[in-house]
């Protein structure tokens, strides 16, 4: 009897342990070997602090991630936690597939340490926190100190007019040098929009009726500036096809003296240029004394279908903690989400100061694209790229291109307003 009782107790303990074991599935969509390795290291610390919980990581290559994740979800192979880019948030939130994190954030001691931007953009869709951003990709202006000195300049441009004039002086050096690493290929949308909004003096994409503001004369002037710079040779001729890798290489190779990019570009630039040869300044101010640097972000979200909500939240909270987020931001090249991060020695440098100026000075109004529109992804990946290239090559006028963009976005906005 004593032996049977002992066996029953052992069986019960084993069964209880099995029931307590939980496997969480996390899918990352912006991947590289270094990022994935670091993420797994952060997860290992979570697993050590939460015995019985195991996290399986699925890594999707960015170029195919949108389609692959959509196929997973449609097929019922839905992860518990997902790395959610801002451009996808509306699609999944509108379909009721993401968990509202309000109740968790209310009881999380760290919530008060989040920056206003983190709270604002984590709740970008329907004023509901469907994600916690893990950092921000904010545009600021890299500038080559040596090329500026050769052209007789010691300071970065403060205004759009100074930016164009500085580009003209750099181009006058000859030898194939140009002022600006223009991005005309994949990912060019943000550059066009920033110049349009700077001239417009506002980052309101639509009026109260849902009409796009991008076809206003001031916004059209922003496109005209870029078209003129291309025509005058102030940017590389082949930049009409340049994407991220090409513009970053154009900067660190000294082909062009200025580059507007996010902090992730700093990783490649800092590997190839000494810190005293370049710096990062805030984006130039437009005629209204304001600038509208575009920002993108991604973060951690929970699918509402998960059977492990508490454990999934614990994982998100761990990855979003001040210690883990600061670590992550340094590795992947984003601006952290917690207050006071700019005081960390890693970020308190001439190379990062431009981004934190934009975060803290009201003249720079960080601008999120209207990613809540389901149609925006097609606009950003197709319509704006082809239209922008035709503009630069002189095949279409700024008025024509801006009109096409405004018409497309107006239709999308009015559809969205009607559905609310």
């Amino acid at each position: 009897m004593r032996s049977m009782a002992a066996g029953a107790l052992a069986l019960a303990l084993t069964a209880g342990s099995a029931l307590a074991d939980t496997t969480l599935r996390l899918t990352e969509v912006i991947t590289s070997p270094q990022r994935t390795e670091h993420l797994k290291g952060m997860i290992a610390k979570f697993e050590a602090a939460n015995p019985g919980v195991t996290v399986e990581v699925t890594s999707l290559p960015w170029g195919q991630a949108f389609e692959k994740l959509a196929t997973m979800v449609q097929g019922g192979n839905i992860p518990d936690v997902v790395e959610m880019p801002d451009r996808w948030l509306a699609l999944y939130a509108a379909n009721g597939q993401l968990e509202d994190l309000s109740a968790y954030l209310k009881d999380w001691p760290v919530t008060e340490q989040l920056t206003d931007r983190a709270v604002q953009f984590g709740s970008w869709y329907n004023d509901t926190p469907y994600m916690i951003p893990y950092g921000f990709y904010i545009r600021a202006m890299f500038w080559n100190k040596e090329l500026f000195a050769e052209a007789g300049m010691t300071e970065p441009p403060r205004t759009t007019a100074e930016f164009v004039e500085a580009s003209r002086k750099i181009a006058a050096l000859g030898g194939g040098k140009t002022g600006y690493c223009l991005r005309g290929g994949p990912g060019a949308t943000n550059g066009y929009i920033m110049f349009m909004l700077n001239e417009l003096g506002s980052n309101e994409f639509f009026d109260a009726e849902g009409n796009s503001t991008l076809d206003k004369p001031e916004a059209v002037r922003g496109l005209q500036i870029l078209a003129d710079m291309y025509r005058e040779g102030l940017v590389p001729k082949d930049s009409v096809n340049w994407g991220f890798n090409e513009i970053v290489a154009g900067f660190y190779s000294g082909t062009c003296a200025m580059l507007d990019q996010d902090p992730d570009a700093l990783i490649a630039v800092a590997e190839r240029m000494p810190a005293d040869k370049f710096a990062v300044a805030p984006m130039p101010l437009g005629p209204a004394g304001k600038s509208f640097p575009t920002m993108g972000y991604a973060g951690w979200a929970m699918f509402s279908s998960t059977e492990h909500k508490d454990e999934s939240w614990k994982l998100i909270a761990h990855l979003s903690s001040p210690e883990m987020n600061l670590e992550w931001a340094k590795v992947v090249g984003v601006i952290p989400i917690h207050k006071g991060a700019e005081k960390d020695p890693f970020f308190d440098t001439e190379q990062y100061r431009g981004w934190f100026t934009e975060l803290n000075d009201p003249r720079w109004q960080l601008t999120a694209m209207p990613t809540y529109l389901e149609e925006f992804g097609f606009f950003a990946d197709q319509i704006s790229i082809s239209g922008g290239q035709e503009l630069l090559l002189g095949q279409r006028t700024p008025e024509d291109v801006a009109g096409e963009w405004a018409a497309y976005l107006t239709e999308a906005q009015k559809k969205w307003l009607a559905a609310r």
Side-chain angles (χ1 to χ4, degrees), residues 266-277:
L266 186 57
I267 297 171
V269 173
E271 287 176 353
R272 295 165 175 86
M273 294 181 72
D276 62 344
K277 303 300 183 186

Side-chain angles (χ1 to χ4, degrees), residues 240-293:
V240 66
N241 295 311
W242 279 8
F244 176 83
N245 291 334
E246 291 81 8
I247 59 173
V248 174
F251 181 75
Y252 65 64
S253 68
T255 298
C256 31
M258 289 179 285
L259 164 73
D260 68 86
Q261 252 311 313
D262 310 321
D264 57 346
L266 186 57
I267 297 171
V269 173
E271 287 176 353
R272 295 165 175 86
M273 294 181 72
D276 62 344
K277 303 300 183 186
F278 76 99
V280 179
M283 289 297 291
L285 299 166
K290 299 177 182 178
S291 185
F292 305 93

Side-chain angles (χ1 to χ4, degrees), residues 129-152:
Y130 286 113
M131 73 144 86
I132 298 181
Y134 59 58
F136 298 105
Y137 299 94
I138 304 170
R139 291 295 176 92
M141 188 66 74
F142 291 68
W143 62 289
N144 184 316
K145 291 183 175 182
E146 284 192 326
L147 284 179
F148 267 66
E150 285 181 40

Side-chain angles (χ1 to χ4, degrees), residues 224-360:
Q224 185 70 63
I225 289 171
L226 291 175
D228 289 345
M229 291 181 69
Y230 188 83
R231 178 179 52 80
E232 291 180 41
L234 308 187
V235 305
K237 284 299 178 186
D238 54 350
S239 64
V240 66
N241 295 311
W242 279 8
F244 176 83
N245 291 334
E246 291 81 8
I247 59 173
V248 174
F251 181 75
Y252 65 64
S253 68
T255 298
C256 31
M258 289 179 285
L259 164 73
D260 68 86
Q261 252 311 313
D262 310 321
D264 57 346
L266 186 57
I267 297 171
V269 173
E271 287 176 353
R272 295 165 175 86
M273 294 181 72
D276 62 344
K277 303 300 183 186
F278 76 99
V280 179
M283 289 297 291
L285 299 166
K290 299 177 182 178
S291 185
F292 305 93
T294 56
M295 62 175 294
Y297 55 97
W300 307 113
M302 183 196 311
F303 273 101
S304 55
S305 58
T306 179
E307 297 177 355
H308 310 295
K309 292 186 178 180
D310 287 344
E311 292 86 353
S312 295
W313 164 251
K314 286 182 180 179
L315 177 58
I316 291 174
H318 169 77
L319 296 175
S320 305
S321 67
E323 179 188 1
M324 291 294 99
N325 179 251
L326 197 63
E327 223 180 81
W328 181 249
K330 293 174 182 179
V331 169
V332 305
V334 291
I335 300 301
I337 61 171
H338 296 286
K339 297 172 183 175
E342 68 272 19
K343 297 175 184 177
D344 185 279
F346 182 88
F347 294 108
D348 188 17
T349 67
E350 194 176 17
Q351 281 69 44
Y352 273 99
R353 210 155 290 144
W355 285 298
F356 285 104
T357 296
E358 292 179 350
L359 277 168
N360 298 315

